[in-house]
Amino acid sequence: MTDEKPYSQACENNKQVILEKLATVFSGSGTILEIGTGTGQHAVHFATNLPHLTWQPSDHPSNYQLCEPWLSEANLPNINEPLALNVIADDWQVPTISGAFSANTAHIMSWPEVEAMFRGVSSNLQLHEAFCLYGPFNYNGQFTSASNRQFDTHLKQQNPKMGIRDIDELKRIGSDNGLVLESDFEMPANNRLLVWRVHGT
Ligand SMILES: C[S@@+](CC[C@H](N)C(=O)[O-])C[C@H]1O[C@@H](n2cnc3c(N)ncnc32)[C@H](O)[C@@H]1O
């Protein structure tokens, strides 16, 4: 039988290292909203290995059903049906969550969408809850590798609104939304896992 599940080699490469960090950040029970789920490989790996959590996949309305084949094959009790969520929406129709996760989305979204993602995450999290954001990022406007620079050029050729984001810019929109960068973990292949936490004033 042909395996028709969508497949991302990058997800296979990074899912275990991301899991090891998520296990410590999301150590309590609750529902984690995943933004921009994509194929569903991350959702299945994290829900399988973090059974104390309920995983809530979501993606842009044009893409949210992409993960269905992985989800239905895994048939896990702790993954909800994927939600259609465009981060730019004013009012996110999501269940009560106690954390959020997103991988490889900030460089795909336009900057207003990145801002909207931080705003929406912040409005749906409570004090001290965390948002984990994985992907490639710049520091002080500098690429961390030649391959990230090439990737950025490639993205901008497809759509000038895409591109690798600068940590300082993300810190600024985090701060505007009560999210403080608590940890910045180095990950393989010139990626980072940024852990943002809701802070009180
Ligand atoms: C490069 S893919 C990453 C998918 C998956 N997280 C991964 O790591 O393989 C970028 C994802 O961002 C989603 N996305 C782009 N714009 C979005 C938006 N405005 N709201 C929600 N998701 C969006 C896309 O649909 C896609 O699933």
Side-chain angles (χ1 to χ4, degrees), residues 8 11 34-38 42 59-60 63 85-88 103-105 108-109 113:
S8 156
C11 281
E34 180 179 14
I35 299 163
T37 290
H42 280 157
D59 209 326
H60 190 277
N63 211 25
L85 173 66
N86 183 347
V87 293
I88 210 81
N104 291 316
T105 48
I108 299 295
M109 294 173 182
E113 289 172 327

Side-chain angles (χ1 to χ4, degrees), residues 26-196:
F26 299 139
S27 55
S29 61
T31 297
I32 305 301
L33 174 66
E34 180 179 14
I35 299 163
T37 290
T39 63
Q41 285 158 270
H42 280 157
V44 167
H45 192 65
F46 302 153
T48 301
N49 291 286
L50 302 170
H52 59 284
L53 297 175
T54 297
W55 203 260
Q56 177 60 70
S58 80
D59 209 326
H60 190 277
S62 64
N63 211 25
Y64 79 107
Q65 288 167 317
L66 183 75
C67 61
E68 287 283 12
W70 279 89
L71 268 48
S72 40
E73 181 186 78
N75 195 24
L76 293 167
N78 61 331
I79 304 189
N80 291 345
E81 285 295 313
L83 293 175
L85 173 66
N86 183 347
V87 293
I88 210 81
D90 283 336
D91 184 19
W92 288 14
Q93 300 293 315
V94 298
T96 300
I97 57 170
S98 47
F101 168 77
S102 194
N104 291 316
T105 48
H107 58 270
I108 299 295
M109 294 173 182
S110 66
W111 183 248
E113 289 172 327
V114 177
E115 291 180 306
M117 173 163 68
F118 274 73
R119 200 163 51 241
V121 163
S122 167
S123 0
N124 282 279
L125 290 182
Q126 304 296 317
L127 192 62
H128 305 317
E129 291 178 338
F131 169 39
C132 294
L133 181 63
Y134 172 90
F137 301 99
N138 289 345
Y139 293 83
N140 304 314
Q142 304 295 313
F143 296 100
T144 61
S145 67
S147 61
N148 278 3
R149 179 189 294 277
Q150 285 160 10
F151 182 46
D152 184 74
T153 303
H154 169 71
L155 289 169
K156 290 192 169 109
Q157 281 167 352
Q158 290 178 64
N159 183 341
K161 292 181 179 168
M162 298 199 284
I164 295 181
R165 310 301 172 189
D166 197 278
I167 297 262
D168 288 332
E169 290 294 295
L170 295 176
K171 279 187 188 167
R172 185 177 58 72
I173 58 170
S175 161
D176 290 347
N177 290 287
L179 288 162
V180 170
L181 183 61
E182 175 184 88
S183 307
D184 173 3
F185 295 111
E186 186 172 5
M187 296 267 121
N190 305 302
N191 288 300
R192 319 288 305 181
L193 183 79
L194 308 180
V195 182
W196 305 86

Side-chain angles (χ1 to χ4, degrees), residues 16-26 185-187 193:
Q16 188 59 29
V17 285
I18 298 176
L19 169 68
E20 284 161 19
K21 296 299 181 197
L22 297 190
T24 62
V25 177
F26 299 139
F185 295 111
E186 186 172 5
M187 296 267 121
L193 183 79

